[in-house]
Amino acid sequence: MLLPDLLNFFANFFAWLNQILTATIVITALSLLMYSLTFNLHDRAARSFSTVLFAISVVFVSDSFASISGSPQAIETWLRFQWLGIAFMPTAYFHFSDAMLATTGLLSRGRRYVAVRIGYLLSAIFFSVAAFTDWLVFDPTVEGRAQHLQAGALFYIFTVLFALASIIAWFNLYRAYRRCLTASTRRRAAYLLVASIALPISVFPYLLLVGGSTPSLHPLIFWWLSVLGNLIIGAMITLMAYVVAFFGTAQPDRVIKSRLFQHLLRGPFVASIVLGIMVIAGRAARALGNGESQVVAVAAIGTLILLQYVITLARIPLERRLFYGGLKDRSDVLRIQTLGERLLTADDTHEFLESVAAAACDLLRVRSAFVAAVEADGARVEAKIGLDNPPEDSNVLTLAVMQNGAGAAIQSGLFVWDDYWVLPLRSGIESEVIGLLALKARSDQPDLTHEEARTLQALADRAAAALEDRRAQRKLFSTVETLLPHVERLQKLRAASRYTSANVLTPDSKVEAGLIQNVREALSQYWGGPKLINSPLLRLKVVERALQDHDGNAANALRAVLHDAIERVKPEGQRRFTAEWIIYNILEMKFMQGRRVREVALRLSVSEADLYRKQRVAIEQVARMIATMEREIEGVDEDEYTIAGD
């Protein structure tokens, strides 16, 4: 009797473990589905993979609820609902493989496009038949701890179509793998090729083929194989999600890996561990005769807190070691991250200067003080202490201090101006006046002791260092703002070339072949002129398509294309005059409204030189948008494209 009891114990253990793994797959699939819909929704391959994840989620959610349902009616309802995922899986798999072929540059000539739509129609029909009739499946049966429906007359026809669609989909992925050129893309395509085998196997109701006898005859073997299968399925869909995460984004690989890693850690990993602990705690509480609900709640909360603590400590070191390449790359990224963590913001500067002014007031026993930054266009008050407001003519004060014309330095660099004692703040390198510390005078002439003068100078040096650091950071931000469009452009080219060599030079070749110059000339005469009427851009297919909507008027057609390209540059939301909107505002005000450079610069609060630099970036973006519109016209698998009128 010992051996049968032992086998029964292990069979029950694997059956219980299988339930946990089924719930874990549900959590993982739903979490990855939310990730895909959040970060990769605009990419075709990622959208089709989201359909695959949805089908897997439906199958495993239904299986989980069916396993814990008590009534035969509830079991049958969940098992029939499960066919929503089963019926749509082969079509979603084929749709994903079609999107992968298109990603690698092999666009459909219409046959795959039609096959996908016919597949979704057949899937809907099979689901309807399974849900509302007994032709495909009928009465549920429970054998051992496994429950399933029985095969109907149409089940074997569905099996043949399911297998055929899955084989074709896998062959399409193999063709996509063969088309990848670089080592990294071939490696990732190989991951997809191997992992995708688990997709049809994970959802197909194989118990209907064997009549459900396996779990009743060999429960230990059946549940052990179920556990092994669920482990493989969970690993495979995670691996596929990892590869698909790189689609439709121009961000560096390290950013994508880090984001997905954190999503999996704080989502599926934590939820699965907490779920397992809850089940174990519940069984232990029942065995010991204690209150199950209290033990489960304490175990779940404690596990959740502990896991979040461990992840907070270990995540960043793990990410740096796993995703940030060699030591040089790690040091570069670490410097950027350190800069972000220690950045001196405007609020930080204001708070620090307020503390300096307050310390100066306490030191000299005066009632108010202020700190001003000296810029090329005058002074700007950064912080003040006390009830007295800084004088409105602080620019006059700045000029007086810089020219030493308001009076001689009386003590320790202090000047008397009006009823203020003023101390210039100088940069540490060039001794340039970059600000001033003004204190409400307590007497006509400064009467500082040696210790007061020394301490006041120390406070002034700290205020000057803060202003100098803030000025250096603004220069850095200006450089980064100029650099970002070029970096983004390179990352987009890199992303476009991941899976097909056709995209390596396509965006730049069109730009380099005079497209930027042609766009610049056409925009300069946006409302009419020979550069618009005779522009080489008229030979683009996107302009030829627009001619149909503008009665053959070439100028109106090209103007409509330019207008549509500019609108694509426009950020989402209500228009504002912020850094995010500056590119669109330059295009709209300079070219569409025809305003002068000086007027646009004043309106956007930038110098004319800076405006010209940003205008070049804006024109490049319009050129890239037109190149993208041209590729959309050339793509035979894209939806019909129309150019909006003015």
Side-chain angles (χ1 to χ4, degrees), residues 227-367:
V227 168
L228 180 62
N230 282 338
L231 286 172
I232 295 174
I233 290 167
M236 292 301 100
I237 63 174
T238 303
L239 181 60
M240 292 186 70
Y242 163 77
V243 177
V244 175
F246 293 92
F247 296 154
T249 177
Q251 293 177 317
D253 288 0
R254 66 178 183 276
V255 176
I256 299 171
K257 293 175 182 178
S258 175
R259 185 172 62 196
L260 180 61
F261 179 67
Q262 183 174 176
H263 183 81
L264 290 174
L265 272 184
R266 297 197 181 277
F269 176 76
V270 170
S272 301
I273 296 297
V274 170
L275 175 63
I277 294 297
M278 289 175 64
V279 174
I280 294 174
R283 288 178 173 267
R286 287 195 297 271
L288 297 175
N290 296 327
E292 179 180 346
S293 60
Q294 295 179 352
V295 173
V296 170
V298 171
I301 294 173
T303 303
L304 184 62
I305 294 174
L306 179 62
L307 287 176
Q308 292 297 333
Y309 173 73
V310 172
I311 290 173
T312 301
L313 292 180
R315 180 181 64 83
I316 294 180
L318 280 175
E319 288 180 359
R320 289 174 179 169
R321 181 166 294 275
L322 294 175
F323 307 139
Y324 288 87
L327 292 176
K328 187 176 185 303
D329 290 342
R330 291 178 199 168
S331 62
D332 291 342
V333 173
L334 182 60
R335 279 195 292 268
I336 297 298
Q337 291 177 341
T338 303
L339 175 63
E341 293 170 357
R342 301 180 183 177
L343 190 67
L344 191 65
T345 65
D347 288 341
D348 294 336
T349 305
H350 177 78
E351 181 181 353
F352 179 74
L353 293 178
E354 275 191 342
S355 65
V356 170
C361 288
D362 292 340
L363 174 68
L364 302 184
R365 300 174 301 281
V366 297
R367 66 187 187 189

Side-chain angles (χ1 to χ4, degrees), residues 193-210:
L193 191 64
V194 175
S196 66
I197 298 175
L199 295 180
I201 297 176
S202 66
V203 302
F204 185 78
Y206 48 87
L207 286 181
L208 276 68
L209 292 176
V210 298

Side-chain angles (χ1 to χ4, degrees), residues 565-581:
I566 292 173
E567 288 300 311
R568 290 190 177 202
V569 176
K570 181 179 180 180
E572 296 182 358
Q574 187 176 1
R575 180 178 179 180
R576 298 178 180 179
F577 290 91
T578 59
E580 181 185 6
W581 282 80

